[in-house]
Amino acid sequence: MENKSCNNFISYVGLEEHEIQTLSSSRRNSLIENNIKLLPGEVLIAEAQSVLMFSPVSDLKQGISGVLSVTNFKLTFITSDDSNGEDVTHQQNHLYGYTDTCLTNIDEIYIMVGDKKRKLAPGNIVPSKVKGIFIICKNLRTWSFSFKFSPLGHGKNLLTALLHHAFPSRHQLLFAYDYKEAYYSSLDKNVQLFRDISDWQNELKRTLYSDEIRKGWRLSTVNAKFQLCPSLSQYVIVPASVTDSQLTDAARHFQGNRPPVWSWTNVYGAALVKMSELLPTITERRQENIMFENVRKSHPQKMPPVVVELNKEINVKLIAIGFSKFISLCSAENIRQFWVQDNNFYSLLENTKWLKYISYCLQKAVDVCDRLNLGYSVILQEGAGRDLCCVISSLVQLLLDPHFRTITGFQSLLQKEWVAGGHPFCDRLGHIVKTNSEKSPLFLLYLDCVWQLCQQYPTEFEFTETYLTTLWDTVHVSIFDTFIFNCERDRAVAAMDPNTPLVLRSVWDWREQFGDQDIMLFYNPLFVPRNTSKTDSRAIVKPACAISSLELWTQCYFRWIPALEIHNGGQRHAELYVRLLQNDVNQLRINVNGNCGSPVDKVGIYSLHTNIDSFYPFSNKRSGNAISTPIMNSSIIITESLLDAQSLITATD
């Protein structure tokens, strides 16, 4: 009876409060008949019809009517669309649509009670009548839905299902375990995952320049099958002077059973080492001093290392508190709240301390770089060595090693320092609801630091801010194994489960999500490659770290607020014309070299939109004003002379 009334009765009561866009009868029927695009293994759980979706940060008076549904992967809103899709300028993901959000991306859910909202937690009882909901996502996107015109019970059923599935209590409830699509990896061979011993051997060979430096370090299998430490890789690089039995004995004295491990070495033989602190119950520091001595012996000149303690001024909890305040600045519920915050924006921003934490991390990284350049080995030390150690160690290597500023190098760096290094992504990103886990955006803090470097050194990094923003979005897609585990051991156990083995899909296999049109926006057209096989003092990046020198990453934090978007302008507009100019240069080089035997059909044609806005490609603007220009495919190596000037606006095969 309820469904029948839904199909034949439309309420127009209260239109002065909530207006709906005019729909013809054929368009209304198409909403009901419209099927949700489901991935293999994805199932529909609940849906609500005649739901109004409001524009973010609006007056909440006019919305678009559609069907809101919950699956075991996403929250999806389906509405009729007059557009044929050809003029859409936003990024298009193969796994979910523009009006979808992955369940693992949902951070907070509020139910509207009168003019106020009440936060709902997992397990809360949902009232029988739901007027509307407000959702804040981990990537700071907000959603406002009204069930005013929905059939009775639809709102409650949908919200109950959403609360249950958006906050899973077990890791096996993540969609990665249900996803049934066959996986054929197209991962770039230059991306090292640091799961095989060969990746560690190659990294040692790449960074240890001389035999004398090589003598100080060795590759150990003491953690094979994770028998020493569950949060470290099976392969660790340790001082050559320490034996496996000594490592095993020492590990028991440190938090998380984590002995000191090597991260990187410069041309002087100065090493960067990560180390956890002693257990609180241990007062005698003999084992710690033994490890310090072994790091000293690994240095070619036997210089004593410098120990840098990282958790004295900031920590995981303080970062989480600051970011929770920062979220409120980026996720206003309506336009009135937005303008109230805007009047005091800078004082509110200062109160979050977010930029202070970015400044701290950059300054620490610069200080460590200075020590390394003076020839001293540096030991980074904090709690269990899995949070700020990851931030600072990967920042230091980004500043000193140009290899890590390429896309494949950067992805290998994240694999080495964060994934193999045992950063607890599952806990810090809040994938699973657990009482003993501590959610904190350490990885976003690092990405923001990297973005600051890109702003200060626009020609030093092969990747763009669009790449970094997309990476933050992808962290919350529960299909890829890269960011859903706390450590490599948990990943290995899931992959070898005899009943339901998890198919490991790397997030760096970007073609699983995007087409060439979107991937080419990851490449910086201003990038100047550096020769990484020899020392070059010009290759060292030393950023300005004071808060006054930092900027707000507006693309990542404010892209969902229409009021802040610059129409037909902004940094993306300037980048567009750089891409076009760079492409013209490459075409001229091809002509000068007589095409070098390169077949014409290997030159791809992509449509580049010219009247883009400042939050492109994340804003939902539609435009018919596009141009098509021939763009050379980056997988074609034409001549050696073209290598240094190859177009970075291109997509790979």
Side-chain angles (χ1 to χ4, degrees), residues 45 86 178 203 340 393 417 591:
I45 295 167
E86 294 178 358
D178 294 326
E203 183 66 0
V340 169
S393 65
E417 294 300 319
N591 295 336

Side-chain angles (χ1 to χ4, degrees), residues 230-351:
S231 65
L232 280 176
S233 166
Q234 293 192 78
Y235 311 103
V236 291
I237 297 171
V238 296
S241 58
V242 64
T243 64
D244 284 353
S245 60
Q246 287 175 320
L247 273 177
T248 303
D249 185 47
R252 297 197 304 267
H253 297 77
F254 292 93
Q255 294 184 31
N257 254 44
R258 292 170 64 97
V261 292
W262 172 93
S263 283
W264 186 79
T265 298
N266 67 8
V267 292
Y268 310 111
L272 181 65
V273 179
K274 291 187 295 186
M275 182 177 182
S276 61
E277 294 178 346
L278 289 171
L279 289 166
T281 55
I282 296 178
T283 56
E284 197 269 322
R285 311 189 76 87
R286 179 172 172 271
Q287 284 296 335
E288 186 180 53
N289 291 330
I290 290 174
M291 291 298 106
F292 289 163
E293 175 62 13
N294 280 295
V295 173
R296 185 191 71 80
K297 289 179 180 178
S298 70
H299 195 287
Q301 281 79 46
K302 305 297 184 287
M303 295 175 66
V306 175
V307 180
V308 177
E309 297 179 335
L310 296 179
N311 59 348
K312 300 304 179 186
E313 297 175 57
I314 67 172
N315 55 46
V316 171
K317 188 172 183 179
L318 287 176
I319 293 169
I321 293 172
F323 188 66
S324 66
K325 296 177 182 178
F326 184 72
I327 286 176
S328 65
L329 279 181
C330 309
S331 56
E333 178 189 346
N334 53 53
I335 194 67
R336 184 178 69 253
Q337 181 185 346
F338 169 79
W339 288 120
V340 169
Q341 289 180 335
D342 188 68
N343 287 334
N344 305 291
F345 179 79
Y346 287 107
S347 58
L348 292 172
L349 176 63
E350 183 183 19
N351 188 48

Side-chain angles (χ1 to χ4, degrees), residues 4 64-65 88-89 115 146 151 177 216 234 274-275 279 409 424 435 469 490 565 579 621 633 646:
K4 186 175 180 182
I64 300 174
S65 182
V88 173
T89 63
D115 293 332
S146 170
Y177 293 89
Q234 293 192 78
K274 291 187 295 186
M275 182 177 182
L279 289 166
T435 54
T469 303
D490 291 352
E565 186 157 37
R579 293 182 184 281
K621 176 179 178 176
N633 193 303
Q646 185 181 355

Side-chain angles (χ1 to χ4, degrees), residues 159-455:
L159 186 51
T160 302
L162 184 60
L163 271 177
H164 179 75
H165 290 275
F167 306 106
S169 57
R170 291 185 297 113
H171 202 271
Q172 288 74 16
L173 296 175
L174 293 176
F175 183 65
Y177 293 89
D178 294 326
Y179 190 41
K180 303 304 180 187
E181 180 72 32
Y183 180 53
Y184 304 99
S185 175
S186 60
L187 183 65
D188 192 316
K189 301 295 185 192
N190 292 316
V191 178
Q192 295 177 301
L193 299 181
F194 289 95
R195 287 183 198 142
D196 299 327
I197 194 170
S198 59
D199 287 347
W200 292 100
Q201 291 169 337
N202 291 336
E203 183 66 0
L204 269 177
K205 183 179 179 181
R206 189 187 71 83
T207 56
L208 304 187
Y209 288 88
S210 67
D211 291 336
E212 186 182 9
I213 296 175
R214 255 180 232 116
K215 290 177 186 176
W217 299 94
R218 67 180 182 90
L219 183 58
S220 172
T221 57
V222 67
N223 199 39
K225 298 183 180 178
F226 309 100
Q227 56 191 0
L228 175 69
C229 173
S231 65
L232 280 176
S233 166
Q234 293 192 78
Y235 311 103
V236 291
I237 297 171
V238 296
S241 58
V242 64
T243 64
D244 284 353
S245 60
Q246 287 175 320
L247 273 177
T248 303
D249 185 47
R252 297 197 304 267
H253 297 77
F254 292 93
Q255 294 184 31
N257 254 44
R258 292 170 64 97
V261 292
W262 172 93
S263 283
W264 186 79
T265 298
N266 67 8
V267 292
Y268 310 111
L272 181 65
V273 179
K274 291 187 295 186
M275 182 177 182
S276 61
E277 294 178 346
L278 289 171
L279 289 166
T281 55
I282 296 178
T283 56
E284 197 269 322
R285 311 189 76 87
R286 179 172 172 271
Q287 284 296 335
E288 186 180 53
N289 291 330
I290 290 174
M291 291 298 106
F292 289 163
E293 175 62 13
N294 280 295
V295 173
R296 185 191 71 80
K297 289 179 180 178
S298 70
H299 195 287
Q301 281 79 46
K302 305 297 184 287
M303 295 175 66
V306 175
V307 180
V308 177
E309 297 179 335
L310 296 179
N311 59 348
K312 300 304 179 186
E313 297 175 57
I314 67 172
N315 55 46
V316 171
K317 188 172 183 179
L318 287 176
I319 293 169
I321 293 172
F323 188 66
S324 66
K325 296 177 182 178
F326 184 72
I327 286 176
S328 65
L329 279 181
C330 309
S331 56
E333 178 189 346
N334 53 53
I335 194 67
R336 184 178 69 253
Q337 181 185 346
F338 169 79
W339 288 120
V340 169
Q341 289 180 335
D342 188 68
N343 287 334
N344 305 291
F345 179 79
Y346 287 107
S347 58
L348 292 172
L349 176 63
E350 183 183 19
N351 188 48
T352 69
K353 299 184 179 178
W354 185 247
L355 289 179
K356 177 183 177 181
Y357 297 149
I358 294 170
S359 173
Y360 171 86
C361 292
L362 289 173
Q363 187 60 60
K364 273 294 182 201
V366 169
D367 292 345
V368 171
C369 289
D370 290 342
R371 294 288 188 174
L372 289 168
N373 288 332
L374 290 173
Y376 293 96
S377 291
V378 174
I379 299 175
L380 301 177
Q381 192 173 32
E382 66 151 343
R386 302 172 65 184
D387 290 298
L388 286 169
C389 270
C390 298
V391 176
I392 304 303
S393 65
S394 46
L395 272 178
V396 168
Q397 292 170 71
L398 206 60
L399 296 179
L400 295 178
D401 194 336
H403 167 68
F404 293 128
R405 296 178 216 145
T406 65
I407 287 185
T408 56
F410 183 69
Q411 292 169 173
S412 299
L413 175 66
L414 296 181
Q415 284 288 146
K416 181 179 69 163
E417 294 300 319
W418 292 79
V419 181
H423 178 69
F425 280 108
C426 186
D427 289 348
R428 297 295 178 258
L429 296 172
H431 288 323
I432 306 299
V433 177
K434 293 193 298 185
T435 54
N436 61 344
S437 66
E438 194 169 4
K439 192 171 77 168
S440 186
L442 269 294
F443 190 60
L444 178 60
L445 180 68
Y446 172 69
L447 292 180
D448 200 326
C449 290
V450 176
W451 180 83
Q452 302 290 342
L453 298 177
C454 292
Q455 302 314 295

Side-chain angles (χ1 to χ4, degrees), residues 5 19 144 193 215 262 279 302 380 391 439 444 450 465 473 483 550 590 631 639 641:
S5 67
E19 299 176 14
S144 294
L193 299 181
K215 290 177 186 176
W262 172 93
L279 289 166
K302 305 297 184 287
L380 301 177
V391 176
K439 192 171 77 168
L444 178 60
V450 176
E465 75 163 328
D473 287 343
F483 299 118
L550 304 181
I590 291 175
I631 297 182
T639 64
S641 64

